[in-house]
């Protein structure tokens, strides 16, 4: 069909269906307001001065030796986190997918991997300080070291890898599970050793997934603001924290914007690589497996022990960190006075009560709206043809793909002045969450809809149902799993995110995560730990509830929500 | 390389079943595949064919029993040291490798040099009719072509034993017939001892030297296609290999090698009955549809009514009612005017050596070889 023909058909489809046209219009308006406009304002702020175009602001950042170092550090850290996290994620994914582990052990691995994914920021960072700081349990109490410093590349790297490797795990495990085990068995029967099978079959088939995992981790580390803020220290500045300090410390919004701008390029490159290069390189290996048949045993017994031991060590570190956090929330001062107390919880439920209430209100409002936004946009771009459909999908992914620092600063710039003065309101935070984390629901919806046969909807329309009725009666029930999964992710992220919203909180509306940061800077680590424990507990309860709801829809394509937290 | 036989000595394999507890996927399986022979494991889905084949391959270790290749006990040898060629139902091609590299894989593992590899792969691709496909990837090939690559990859290493697990079930009917002929021809030419698994009795009869019929984990009968068809040891085998009519009767008299059975209100004679029959014993008769002669009119001793008929060109199928029993009959079309109308009364005649007598134990399906 020619372009004009397609356009005609598309607009005709819309004219026939005012509901679709209206929905598309509203979504475009929202995307324009909350995605395109803030980003445009960021560009304007960075690239103009007194009404004229200039790169001076950007140049000032890019040629400043100190900032250049931050840029290099950011890339170095992302590179290291990407590599180490991918290796660690692969270790876990391979062990879980191939280790023939008993169910209980698999659940244990999943739980250990899930913890960092649903935690508020700073949790591993706090635990690092508790363990390896000047008065750390391990460095000071156990090893008797004095005057050690926990700040710098090593501990930032360690902490970020531990926080982000689950993303690689979630990306790689389904991929490994989907590899037809007969393909490996075939190589084995042709005389290859298990190691050779791994090297020449399993690994090459996983390379697109490894690349994808690496890029996801690279992006996550590049955007991470919380960990370096606590652990990087003065000698290892990175861009997101520099941007934050520029704005909150030096009140230099333009400089901070320019700094965040420098993040844009690598983040965009990663996003495009992932979307247009890696995703096309997946092998189709799923070829109908023998039902109930024992898969090829690709791990020798000795190797299984080694792999399990390696996973156990990492899992133990994770569990140790969280146990430490819990412990720290229940003693007077970890490292100094280990007497049991509920004082920290008393503090967070009095002084911190407003933050808790605000966070729950904001998360509670963002959750249904974000879920709705996800399935509506996902449905429209998959099932309806209208002009600019692909563009809409791409635009909807922008805030999700960009580092939070950029989004936060862009919102701050865009919504600071009339007529769109939203700073200080809850709305700005809610909007930020919807458009930043709603895309997970969009992707889940798209993935689910692509599995649903078109004939189902055609059958309904053939029976005289309009597109509204068809959506309500046929499609909606089918994509409910994506709705709940998307909604769950928005809630969890609303409870745990900080990188964007740190710029958007105000006296009227604040967040638990921001409160945790305040506590850490004031060195009240007890309340910080108590807040973190509270968030983890709330998130686990919500995951359990949504898991229960998802189980009600035993649809073949039901989306396990936790797998969506991977990014 | 010398051709060797495959011997499966009383091999068993149990699995834990969620509901039923421990179940035998294979139970005391005994097979003797002669050197160069093409043996097929035939049976319905879930009867343990794949499990047995995988134990021969070395993918599974039997709980008890031994597997020998020629004189060598390979029970404890993993698959990669048995020198076998395996062909899977889903081809299991390496998606990241070209056709050439797929076929070359086993040779590379064996450390062959590039010249040898190039020549061997070229030869074997020509043999399976895929010369010129070297640089393609599996995603670009049709099902039949993929199966040929899988076959080439299995035979290029000159395996001691060639194993197939339902290699044709992903192909359409026409291609299936063509491919099974190719597999058979290739196996003859290379004289590789072969174990082939299928649930399709026609396919089994078309390709095999001998067939072992499996049922619930056990081999219930082994023999040539003809043996199984004409001398089924049990109702299960009779039912699974070809179509049949089952008629209940009682032994009337035994005269040497011939036994007369009272059934369908008349006396039907059969040869070579099972041992130990005595007059008065209840038995089952297995009568193949093509072993019943249909004569127009009621001149004979056994009368029947045509209930329905299906004209299939070269043959005609009838369903008749005879003494309250429904019988299937297949006749070759002798020419125009051969078709008998529905409702007509006819006489039936059974050929004496086309009737198999089963004692009631055979009917239970526990017949021995
Ligand atoms: N790994 C396994 N775990 C549990 N049961 C199995 C396993 N492999 C096979 N079985 C069971 O053993 C029986 C025989 O299976 P299989 O050998 O695959 O049969 P076939 O190939 O004849 O269809 C089936 O009931 C199957 O469910
Ligand atoms: Mg099978």
């Amino acid at each position: 069909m020619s372009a004009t023909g397609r356009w005609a058909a598309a607009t005709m489809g819309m004219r026939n269906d005012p509901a679709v046209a209206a929905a598309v219009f509203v979504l475009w308006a929202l995307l324009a307001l909350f995605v395109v406009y803030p980003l445009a304002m960021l560009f304007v702020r960075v690239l103009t001065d007194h009404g004229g175009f200039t790169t001076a602001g950007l140049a000032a950042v890019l040629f400043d030796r100190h900032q250049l170092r931050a840029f290099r550090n950011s890339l170095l850290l992302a590179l290291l986190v990407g590599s180490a996290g991918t290796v660690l994620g692969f270790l876990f994914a391979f062990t879980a997918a191939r280790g023939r582990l008993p169910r209980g052990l698999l659940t244990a691995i999943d739980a250990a991997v899930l913890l960092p994914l649903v935690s508020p920021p700073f949790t591993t960072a706090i635990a690092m300080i508790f363990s390896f700081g000047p008065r750390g349990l391990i460095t000071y109490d156990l090893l008797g070291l004095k005057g050690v410093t926990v700040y710098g590349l090593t501990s930032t790297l360690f902490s970020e890898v531990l926080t982000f490797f689950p993303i690689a795990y979630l990306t790689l495990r389904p991929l490994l599970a989907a590899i037809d085990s007969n393909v490996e068995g075939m190589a084995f029967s042709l005389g290859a050793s298990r190691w050779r099978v791994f090297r020449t079959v399993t690994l090459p088939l996983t390379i697109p997934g490894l690349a994808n995992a690496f890029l996801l981790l690279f992006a996550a580390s590049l955007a991470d603001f919380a960990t370096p803020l606590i652990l990087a220290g003065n000698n290892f500045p990175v861009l997101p924290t520099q941007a934050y300090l520029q704005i909150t410390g030096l009140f230099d919004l333009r400089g901070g914007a320019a700094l965040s701008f420098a993040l844009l390029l690598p983040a965009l490159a990663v996003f495009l690589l992932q979307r247009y290069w890696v995703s096309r390189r997946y092998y189709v290996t799923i070829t109908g497996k023998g039902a109930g048949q024992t898969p090829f045993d690709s791990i020798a017994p000795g190797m299984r022990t080694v792999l399990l031991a390696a996973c156990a060590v990492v899992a133990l570190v994770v569990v140790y960190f969280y146990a430490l956090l819990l412990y720290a929330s229940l003693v007077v001062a970890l490292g100094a006075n280990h007497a049991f107390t509920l004082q920290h919880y008393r503090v967070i439920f009095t002084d911190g009560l407003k933050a808790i209430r605000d966070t729950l209100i904001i998360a509670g409002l963002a959750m249904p709206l974000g879920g709705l936004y996800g399935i509506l946009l996902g449905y429209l771009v998959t099932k309806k043809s209208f002009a600019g459909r692909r563009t809409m999908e791409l635009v909807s992914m922008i805030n999700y793909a960009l580092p939070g620092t950029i989004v936060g600063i862009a919102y701050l710039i865009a919504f600071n002045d009339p007529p769109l003065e939203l700073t200080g309101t809850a709305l700005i935070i809610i909007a930020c969450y919807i458009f930043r984390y709603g895309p997970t629901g969009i992707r889940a919806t798209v993935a689910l809809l692509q599995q649903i046969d078109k004939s189902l909807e055609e059958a309904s329309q053939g029976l005289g149902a309009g597109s509204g009725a068809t959506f309500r009666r046929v499609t909606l029930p089918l994509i409910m799993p994506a709705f709940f999964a998307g909604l769950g992710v928005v809630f969890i992220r609303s409870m745990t995110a900080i990188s964007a919203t740190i710029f958007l909180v105000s006296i009227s509306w604040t967040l638990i995560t921001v409160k945790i940061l305040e506590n850490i800077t004031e060195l009240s680590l007890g309340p910080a730990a108590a807040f973190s424990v509270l968030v983890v507990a709330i998130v686990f309860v919500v995951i359990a509830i949504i898991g229960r709801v998802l189980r009600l829809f035993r649809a073949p394509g039901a989306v396990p929500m936790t797998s969506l937290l991977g990014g | 390389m010398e051709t060797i036989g495959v011997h499966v000595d009383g091999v068993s394999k149990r699995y834990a079943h969620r509901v039923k507890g421990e179940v035998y996927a294979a139970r005391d399986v005994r097979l003797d595949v002669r050197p160069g022979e093409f043996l097929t494991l035939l049976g319905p889905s879930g009867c343990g064919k794949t499990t047995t084949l995988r134990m021969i391959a070395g993918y599974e270790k039997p709980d008890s029993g031994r597997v020998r290749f020629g004189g060598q006990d390979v029970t404890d040898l993993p698959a990669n040291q048995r020198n076998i060629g395996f062909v899977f139902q889903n081809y299991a091609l390496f998606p990241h490798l070209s056709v050439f590299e797929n076929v070359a894989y086993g040779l590379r593992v064996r450390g062959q040099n590039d010249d040898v590899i190039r020549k061997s792969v070229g030869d074997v691709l020509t043999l399976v009719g895929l010369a010129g496909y070297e640089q393609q990837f599996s995603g670009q090939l049709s099902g039949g072509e993929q199966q040929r690559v899988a076959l080439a990859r299995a035979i290029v290493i000159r395996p001691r034993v060639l194993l197939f697990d339902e290699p044709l079930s992903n192909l359409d009917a026409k291609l299936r017939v063509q491919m099974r002929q190719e597999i058979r021809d290739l196996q003859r030419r290379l004289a590789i001892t072969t174990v082939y698994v299928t649930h399709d009795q026609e396919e089994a009869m078309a390709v095999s030297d001998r067939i072992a019929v499996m049922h619930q984990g056990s081999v219930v009968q082994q023999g040539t296609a003809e043996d199984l068809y004409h001398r089924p040891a049990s109702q299960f085998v009779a039912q699974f290999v070809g179509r049949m009519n089952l008629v209940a009767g009682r032994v009337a008299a035994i005269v040497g090698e011939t036994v007369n059975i009272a059934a369908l209100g008349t006396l039907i004679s059969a040869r070579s009955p099972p041992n130990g029959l005595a007059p008065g014993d209840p038995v089952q008769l297995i009568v193949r549809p093509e072993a019943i002669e249909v004569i127009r009119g009621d001149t004979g001793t056994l009368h029947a009514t045509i209930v329905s008929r299906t004209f299939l060109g070269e043959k005609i199928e009838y369903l008749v009612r005879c003494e309250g029993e429904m019988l299937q009959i297949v006749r070759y079309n002798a020419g125009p005017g051969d078709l008998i109308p529905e409702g007509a009364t006819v006489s039936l005649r059974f050929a004496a050596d086309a009737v198999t007598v089963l004692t009631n134990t055979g009917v239970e399906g526990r017949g021995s070889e």
Side-chain angles (χ1 to χ4, degrees), chain A residues 59-125:
Chain A
V61 168
L62 292 182
F63 297 113
D64 179 293
R65 274 206 19 242
H66 189 62
Q67 310 296 22
L68 213 54
R69 214 169 108 223
F71 187 63
R72 265 204 318 272
N73 286 345
S74 272
L75 291 184
L76 174 69
L77 181 66
L79 207 67
L80 293 174
V81 170
S83 315
T86 303
V87 169
L88 212 55
F90 184 81
L91 167 76
F92 271 76
F94 187 74
T95 310
R98 294 298 146 87
R100 297 192 180 184
L101 306 181
R103 189 174 277 277
L105 208 53
L106 272 178
T107 314
I109 287 186
D110 275 341
V113 161
L114 191 62
L115 265 174
L117 271 182
V118 301
S119 301
F122 313 115
T123 39
T124 49

Side-chain angles (χ1 to χ4, degrees), chain A residues 103-176:
Chain A
R103 189 174 277 277
L105 208 53
L106 272 178
T107 314
I109 287 186
D110 275 341
V113 161
L114 191 62
L115 265 174
L117 271 182
V118 301
S119 301
F122 313 115
T123 39
T124 49
I126 301 172
M128 284 289 287
I129 294 176
F130 279 143
S131 302
F132 301 106
R135 299 279 302 187
L137 283 185
I138 292 179
T139 38
Y140 184 79
D141 292 332
L142 201 65
L143 303 176
L145 301 175
K146 296 213 170 67
V148 290
T149 170
V150 67
Y151 307 102
L153 171 62
T154 316
S155 49
T156 312
L157 175 63
F158 187 82
S159 178
E160 282 196 358
V161 167
L162 220 53
T163 309
F164 295 134
F165 89 90
I167 298 174
Y169 168 77
L170 290 177
T171 317
L172 292 169
R173 185 170 164 194
L175 193 72
L176 280 165

Side-chain angles (χ1 to χ4, degrees), chain B residues 228-249:
Chain B
L228 299 177
Y229 192 78
H230 290 305
R231 287 173 289 283
S234 64
Q235 185 190 342
F236 174 79
V237 174
Q239 210 162 28
F240 204 76
V241 182
R243 286 195 290 166
M244 63 147 195
N245 297 294
L246 192 68
V247 179

Side-chain angles (χ1 to χ4, degrees), chain A residues 180 182-194 196-197 200-201 204-205 283-285 287-289 293-296, chain B residues 15 50 54 59-60 78-80 84 86-88 90-97 102 105-106 108-110 153-154 157 165:
Chain A
D180 176 4
N182 282 348
V183 172
E184 293 174 344
M186 190 62 223
F188 191 61
S189 82
L190 287 169
S193 63
R194 285 198 168 82
R196 189 172 180 134
V197 173
T200 60
V201 178
L205 288 177
Y283 298 102
V284 181
T285 50
T287 45
K289 302 191 214 178
Q293 195 177 291
T294 318
F296 167 64
Chain B
Y15 287 114
T50 297
R54 289 170 66 88
Y59 288 131
E60 307 275 359
N80 62 347
I84 50 162
F86 203 106
V87 180
F88 287 99
N90 58 10
Y91 324 127
L93 297 185
F94 306 128
H96 59 301
L97 298 180
N102 261 279
Y105 191 91
R108 294 208 187 284
V109 169
R110 283 164 177 73
R153 182 176 60 176
I157 57 169
D165 192 358

